[in-house]
Amino acid sequence: KTVSDLKTDIITIVSHQLRTPVTSMRWGLSLMLQGTYGRFKREQTDALEQLYHNTLDTISMINRLLDISRLEKGQLTFERFSVDIVQLIQEALKAMEPLSAKKRIVISFFPPFDHLILHADKERLYNVIEIVLDNAIKYSDPIKTIKIQLVKTQFTGEQEYYAEVVKKRDGVKLSVIDQGLGISKEDSEKIFTKFFRGKNATTFETSGLGIGLAYAKSLVSLHKGKIEVTSKLRRGTRVDIYLPID
C-alpha cells in the first residue's frame, strides 16, 4: 500500500470511532442551546454556539473521510434525481453567509436563468459546491469579492478523452472566481491529491486535512463531469466545474 492509502485506512478507522461520541456532543449542545437545561448568560451562549458549529465542522470532516474510503472501495451510495442547480447554489450561499459576513466578503451570483435541471445526486453535488465556496472564502482576505458564474456549454468529460471518437456533450459550467491567496504553479499540480495543502495555505489560520478538492473531484467524476483549477499566486483562483445536463 502507498503512504496515502495507509493514511486513509488509519483515518477511516479513527473516524468510525469518533463519529458516535462527536454526534452525541452535537445533540447535547443542541439541547443546551434550546434551553432544555435552563438559561445561559449571553457570553455562555456565544461560547456554546461556537462549540456547536465547531462540532458540526468536525462531523462534516468525519463524514467526508468516510465517504472517500467508500469511494475508493466503490461502496458510496449515489442516487440521481432531478436537481435544480440554481436553487442548490443559492442554498449553499445561504449556508455560507455567516462565514462570508464575518470577513465582509461579497459573493455575487446573477444566473442567466431562473432554473436549470440536472440529473444528479443532490447531496453529493451540494458537497462539491460547498467545498469550492468554503475554500474561496477561507483563502480570501477580508473585504474581497467572489464571483459565481453559471453558463450552458459543451465539454468533453475526463473519461472520454481517450475514446476513439472524442465527443462533446451538452452541459453546464459552474465557475467560482476569488481574489484570494492563489496557488503556486508547483502546488497547483498537486491540489487534487489527498491530504495535500499548499505551502502558502499555512499563512491562513484555517483548519483542514487537505481532502476537500480530492473529494470534490471524485464526486464530479461520478457525475460524468470534470473540475479544473487555474490560479496565480496572490492573484486569486478560478474553479470551473463541468456537469452534463442530460
Side-chain angles (χ1 to χ4, degrees):
K1 286 188 175 183
T2 65
V3 173
S4 180
D5 290 334
L6 289 171
K7 279 184 179 179
T8 301
D9 289 346
I10 293 168
I11 293 176
T12 299
I13 292 168
V14 173
S15 297
H16 272 294
Q17 298 301 316
L18 285 175
R19 186 160 62 171
T20 299
V22 173
T23 302
S24 297
M25 285 174 58
R26 170 194 174 185
W27 290 116
L29 289 165
S30 178
L31 291 172
M32 292 172 77
L33 288 169
Q34 290 171 28
T36 303
Y37 304 113
R39 287 176 165 272
F40 294 94
K41 294 180 180 178
R42 182 69 257 175
E43 313 87 75
Q44 293 172 319
T45 302
D46 289 344
L48 286 170
E49 285 180 347
Q50 182 64 49
L51 185 56
Y52 177 73
H53 288 298
N54 287 344
T55 303
L56 291 181
D57 289 342
T58 302
I59 291 171
S60 177
M61 190 179 297
I62 289 171
N63 288 336
R64 197 168 291 170
L65 283 164
L66 293 173
D67 274 354
I68 286 176
S69 176
R70 295 186 189 106
L71 269 166
E72 293 177 343
K73 295 175 182 177
Q75 297 173 350
L76 184 68
T77 303
F78 198 76
E79 298 178 337
R80 286 191 175 94
F81 298 97
S82 295
V83 177
D84 185 345
I85 191 170
V86 177
Q87 182 182 343
L88 202 61
I89 294 168
Q90 291 168 339
E91 288 176 9
L93 286 173
K94 185 71 175 175
M96 291 289 173
E97 275 182 5
L99 185 60
S100 59
K102 187 176 181 181
K103 298 181 73 172
R104 290 181 290 170
I105 289 174
V106 175
I107 303 179
S108 67
F109 177 49
F110 303 103
F113 23 73
D114 294 330
H115 303 281
L116 182 61
I117 305 299
L118 304 181
H119 196 54
D121 185 306
K122 183 176 182 179
E123 180 183 352
R124 308 302 180 191
L125 186 52
Y126 181 89
N127 289 155
V128 172
I129 297 169
E130 180 184 44
I131 288 167
V132 175
L133 277 176
D134 185 65
N135 281 349
I137 296 169
K138 279 184 177 178
Y139 296 113
S140 289
D141 286 317
I143 321 176
K144 292 292 185 179
T145 299
I146 295 171
K147 294 181 181 179
I148 300 177
Q149 299 173 346
L150 189 67
V151 297
K152 290 182 179 179
T153 188
Q154 288 189 321
F155 74 98
T156 301
E158 290 183 354
Q159 302 95 329
E160 298 158 339
Y161 278 137
Y162 304 105
E164 290 184 10
V165 179
V166 178
K167 294 182 179 179
K168 288 191 174 183
R169 60 168 62 195
D170 292 330
V172 61
K173 180 172 76 170
L174 166 61
S175 303
V176 178
I177 308 158
D178 67 49
Q179 301 172 318
L181 184 63
I183 306 165
S184 69
K185 185 177 180 180
E186 179 187 356
D187 285 348
S188 65
E189 297 172 358
K190 307 172 187 174
I191 55 173
F192 293 116
T193 304
K194 287 183 303 181
F195 309 115
F196 175 78
R197 296 193 74 198
K199 295 174 184 175
N200 54 346
T202 57
T203 62
F204 275 61
E205 294 182 8
T206 59
S207 60
L209 294 173
I211 59 172
L213 284 176
Y215 179 54
K217 181 179 174 65
S218 295
L219 294 181
V220 170
S221 294
L222 283 174
H223 282 91
K224 297 190 181 347
K226 67 178 180 178
I227 179 169
E228 297 177 341
V229 177
T230 53
S231 184
K232 288 186 178 180
L233 197 58
R234 293 182 291 277
R235 296 285 298 275
T237 299
R238 177 186 181 115
V239 180
D240 292 314
I241 300 167
Y242 296 84
L243 296 162
I245 290 178
D246 53 356

